[in-house]
Amino acid sequence: MPDVIKLLPDSVANQIAAGEVIQRPASVVKELMENAVDAGAGSVTVIIRDSGRTLIQVNDDGSGMSETDARLSFERHATSKISSARDLFAIVTKGFRGEALASIAAVAMVELRTRREEDETGTLVIINGSRVETQEPCSCPKGSAFSVKNLFYNVPARRKFLKSDNTEQRHIINEFQKVALAHPSIRFCLYNNDSEVYNLMPSNLRQRVIGVFGKQINQDLINIETGTSIVTIKGFVGKPESARRTYGEQFFFVNDRFMKHPYFHRAVAEAYQNILPPDAIPTYFIFMEADPSTIDINIHPTKTEIKFEDERAIWQILMASVREALGRFNIVPSIDFENEGIIEIPVKSQADAFPKQPDIQINPNYNPFEGEGAYPGGRNTPGMPERENTTGWQRIFSSLERESPEQVPDGRPETGRRFFQIRNKYIVCPVKSGLMLIDQRKAHERILFEKYSDSLSLGNPVSQTELFEVSMNAEPAGWQVLRELEDDLRVLGFSLEFREPGTIIIRGRPSNVFAPDPALLLEAFIGEFLSTGESPLRGEKERLAAAMASASAIPYGRSLSQPEMEDLFDSLFACKAPNYSPGGKPVIVIIPIEDLDRRFRQG
């Protein structure tokens, strides 16, 4: 029987490795930007076309490479960062495995122009599908310029499974933001189809956060800074009122490297306990510095999952640091970014030198011990609440005994339409089979979801014109979402005007929504839409309707009147699928009368 085991060709092995490192165009952007940072660049420019399918170009003014290094950099496991296993526990650079360029070259057409400062000419290397086609001298500025064209051209199955341009571009922007936030001293620029998305000048950390997410975030940032022998923590956490129900502005970094760490996220959430509702997610930009020998970053191909030597101690330090920052926020006034470090003290004018004494109107003839206002007596004194009339209380029970319940279908409320609200979150009403509980927010989401779905299908918008137009600034990912969905948002009832990049004028919004501020409504919609992601079980219209319903639904904590609860109940049971929210969560829970009886018998 012949031997069956054989070595894979390098081109095939590289394509298999590329599947772990290069998952989409955003992966290429991440790896090339990190290489530029490792090369000591002071300026990095990213240019993409067709959301990275056609072109991804990253130019930097870093150290550049020699002719030999330029060619060797595309070989697997060729790296200048480590030389022994011990070096894995002293890594301070972004890349170290030597996999990125080899993986990119295996699934794309790559062109590299690079030159060191001491060299008179640079080097041009052209590689297609791991095969070197050209290596020759060229004229180019100091640094490196990578052009990645036709990504996955030789792996059509991978290219076919790329998402829409809108989705792929959002992933690129997310990776760009992570690298840019970690290195505020470097200039970063991003261009998409010849349009400038970001132009971030060198700055401090606070300015970089504002440059990435817009000026409006400045007023929500609370400084955090703690130094210990285990870890140093600095950065910002968001004010409680800036928290949202979706992820998006949560960033952890360790030694200037972005990381995902659910365990530490719970530490931040714990610090906000009893401040935020359970479904709210706080904003944070937290930068940690730790001894490289106490962390392990070599546990995942993308190097975003990191293990710490003493995670429990860091958890406690992080939670205490955030809680201490929130405590200081209650007494320390917020300083505007434009005047940071300058406290303006109002100057007393001449007109204010002699303040006018307020007039006090009194009734000299008023006697609290005479007349209807006397106390004690038949009526309360002025300013005191009137006593309730408690006479005739027996008639309440006699009327209840005479009331005969109406025969209604199982699961519907009995006669009297009695609704109660628990903690301004659940609506409770008795039904024939027991007790019905309705989640008021999820119920409203279901109602609005079906309403918005019908609007998108029938094209009959119901809009409410703003008395005064509202201006809002959106960060690039949100701007792109609203631009792509402009026509559908118009069908839902929005009237928007897009001006210079980042600025949106709101002239109208959907009617019958509970959000008082249309700008906050749009921001909530952006967060909901970005957090849901694409699903083969949900079309784009359905995803849009679900995001809009979640953004505009009744919030928890809102007190509802009896007519409002009745209207919500009637609208819910008029829906096609009242039992579940658009996200598949239960809306209605019925506690059978048997369960209630059993609970009382247990005593």
Side-chain angles (χ1 to χ4, degrees):
M1 183 177 179
D3 297 333
V4 294
I5 297 178
K6 56 183 180 293
L7 292 175
L8 287 173
D10 287 343
S11 59
V12 177
N14 286 343
Q15 286 188 6
I16 294 173
E20 298 179 345
V21 180
I22 309 302
Q23 301 172 356
R24 60 192 341 139
S27 306
V28 177
V29 173
K30 170 185 178 295
E31 298 293 347
L32 295 182
M33 288 184 69
E34 290 183 344
N35 282 352
V37 171
D38 285 343
S43 177
V44 180
T45 301
V46 181
I47 302 170
I48 61 174
R49 292 188 184 277
D50 301 325
S51 299
R53 287 180 171 84
T54 304
L55 172 68
I56 300 171
Q57 184 174 333
V58 178
N59 304 333
D60 69 70
D61 60 355
S63 59
M65 290 181 280
S66 66
E67 180 181 1
T68 302
D69 287 346
R71 172 62 187 86
L72 194 59
S73 65
F74 289 97
E75 295 294 331
R76 286 190 68 196
H77 309 308
T79 177
S80 62
K81 314 296 174 56
I82 60 175
S83 57
S84 67
R86 288 193 302 271
D87 295 336
L88 289 173
F89 298 98
I91 293 172
V92 294
T93 57
K94 300 294 179 294
F96 56 89
R97 294 195 187 107
E99 292 177 323
L101 294 183
S103 298
I104 294 171
V107 292
M109 302 175 180
V110 181
E111 181 180 300
L112 166 64
R113 296 176 183 269
T114 183
R115 182 178 71 84
R116 298 181 300 181
E117 188 170 15
E118 62 267 27
D119 296 334
E120 294 183 359
T121 60
T123 302
L124 169 65
V125 179
I126 299 177
I127 299 180
N128 289 340
S130 295
R131 188 176 67 256
V132 179
E133 295 192 348
T134 301
Q135 180 173 350
E136 60 187 21
C138 71
S139 176
C140 63
K142 167 183 169 290
S144 300
F146 285 90
S147 296
V148 180
K149 304 174 183 177
N150 300 323
L151 185 64
F152 298 132
Y153 80 98
N154 56 350
V155 192
R158 293 288 303 278
R159 189 177 179 91
K160 182 177 66 174
F161 283 101
L162 291 178
K163 304 298 183 181
S164 66
D165 283 357
N166 185 33
T167 300
E168 296 300 339
Q169 183 178 340
R170 289 202 304 272
H171 284 287
I172 290 173
I173 290 175
N174 288 340
E175 295 297 342
F176 180 93
Q177 290 174 342
K178 294 170 186 175
V179 180
L181 287 171
H183 303 280
S185 61
I186 300 176
R187 179 184 179 183
F188 288 98
C189 300
L190 174 62
Y191 296 88
N192 176 46
N193 293 336
D194 299 324
S195 297
E196 182 183 279
V197 181
Y198 280 114
N199 187 356
L200 304 173
M201 304 302 293
S203 61
N204 59 38
L205 183 57
R206 189 183 190 97
Q207 289 173 319
R208 178 53 55 89
V209 172
I210 294 169
V212 172
F213 291 99
K215 293 181 180 179
Q216 68 276 7
I217 200 174
N218 177 56
Q219 61 187 359
D220 296 325
L221 298 179
I222 303 173
N223 186 65
I224 176 175
E225 190 166 356
T226 302
T228 69
S229 59
I230 299 176
V231 65
T232 298
I233 300 174
K234 64 178 181 179
F236 308 97
V237 294
K239 293 180 182 178
E241 58 265 30
S242 68
R244 300 179 179 177
R245 297 190 308 275
T246 57
Y247 289 91
E249 295 174 358
Q250 293 77 34
F251 292 87
F252 278 122
F253 299 87
V254 58
N255 296 346
D256 294 332
R257 178 192 300 276
F258 173 80
M259 68 172 178
K260 298 177 182 178
H261 213 294
Y263 184 59
F264 289 163
H265 172 80
R266 290 198 295 272
V268 177
E270 183 74 17
Y272 282 85
Q273 191 177 28
N274 300 326
I275 299 177
L276 295 178
D279 59 342
I281 304 169
T283 295
Y284 55 80
F285 305 89
I286 295 178
F287 296 77
M288 301 181 181
E289 292 182 12
D291 185 342
S293 64
T294 64
I295 61 176
D296 185 2
I297 61 178
N298 190 33
I299 62 174
H300 193 273
T302 61
K303 301 182 287 292
T304 57
E305 297 180 11
I306 297 174
K307 288 291 184 182
F308 287 75
E309 190 174 90
D310 196 347
E311 291 190 341
R312 180 169 296 183
I314 296 176
W315 193 98
Q316 296 287 347
I317 295 170
L318 177 60
M319 186 196 68
S321 300
V322 175
R323 186 165 287 177
E324 187 266 342
L326 293 173
R328 282 189 290 107
F329 159 68
N330 290 329
I331 58 174
V332 178
S334 176
I335 298 177
D336 184 70
F337 173 73
E338 300 294 337
N339 301 314
E340 191 162 345
I342 302 174
I343 302 178
E344 295 184 1
I345 301 176
V347 179
K348 189 175 184 180
S349 65
Q350 188 66 28
D352 298 331
F354 301 96
K356 184 180 178 181
Q357 184 173 354
D359 295 330
I360 302 176
Q361 296 182 356
I362 61 174
N363 181 6
N365 298 319
Y366 173 71
N367 185 348
F369 299 101
E370 295 180 357
E372 293 185 350
Y375 184 83
R379 297 184 182 271
N380 293 341
T381 59
M384 295 292 290
E386 293 187 3
R387 292 184 173 182
E388 295 182 0
N389 185 1
T390 57
T391 60
W393 57 268
Q394 298 88 344
R395 292 196 300 271
I396 297 176
F397 294 95
S398 61
S399 63
L400 289 177
E401 291 174 359
R402 291 193 302 267
E403 187 180 87
S404 57
E406 180 182 336
Q407 296 298 321
V408 293
D410 190 31
R412 302 285 295 192
E414 296 180 5
T415 184
R417 306 274 290 181
R418 296 183 294 274
F419 295 96
F420 308 93
Q421 204 176 8
I422 298 179
R423 292 187 175 271
N424 293 337
K425 184 175 183 179
Y426 302 109
I427 297 173
V428 183
C429 62
V431 293
K432 186 177 181 180
S433 60
L435 202 62
M436 176 185 289
L437 288 85
I438 300 174
D439 186 307
Q440 69 181 41
R441 173 173 174 77
K442 290 186 175 65
H444 199 218
E445 281 187 36
R446 165 52 62 179
I447 295 166
L448 293 177
F449 172 72
E450 296 199 4
K451 170 190 170 185
Y452 292 140
S453 297
D454 291 342
S455 295
L456 290 170
S457 300
L458 304 175
N460 53 347
V462 180
S463 182
Q464 175 182 326
T465 303
E466 297 296 326
L467 184 59
F468 301 101
E469 62 182 30
V470 178
S471 175
M472 70 170 286
N473 294 318
E475 53 98 10
W479 165 274
Q480 184 67 23
V481 167
L482 298 180
R483 200 73 165 131
E484 292 278 343
L485 301 174
E486 181 180 5
D487 293 338
D488 288 330
L489 289 172
R490 187 180 298 111
V491 173
L492 289 179
F494 279 104
S495 176
L496 306 177
E497 178 186 342
F498 293 83
R499 292 186 179 174
E500 69 268 14
T503 301
I504 301 168
I505 304 299
I506 307 172
R507 293 198 169 90
R509 56 170 160 168
S511 61
N512 299 325
V513 297
F514 281 81
D517 187 342
L520 294 179
L521 174 61
L522 270 184
E523 288 178 3
F525 165 75
I526 292 170
E528 296 286 351
F529 190 83
L530 292 176
S531 66
T532 54
E534 295 186 355
S535 169
L537 302 177
R538 173 177 287 184
E540 190 76 4
K541 304 283 188 186
E542 187 178 357
R543 179 186 173 201
L544 172 61
M548 191 63 210
S550 181
S552 54
I554 298 172
Y556 292 127
R558 186 183 188 278
S559 177
L560 301 179
S561 65
Q562 192 70 208
E564 286 175 326
M565 287 189 281
E566 291 182 8
D567 183 64
L568 186 71
F569 181 89
D570 292 338
S571 299
L572 175 64
F573 280 95
C575 291
K576 301 173 185 175
N579 291 326
Y580 294 95
S581 71
K585 302 289 182 62
V587 174
I588 302 167
V589 172
I590 295 180
I591 302 177
I593 193 67
E594 293 81 6
D595 288 357
L596 295 175
D597 292 339
R598 184 167 56 253
R599 287 180 178 275
F600 282 105
R601 284 197 299 269
Q602 288 175 355

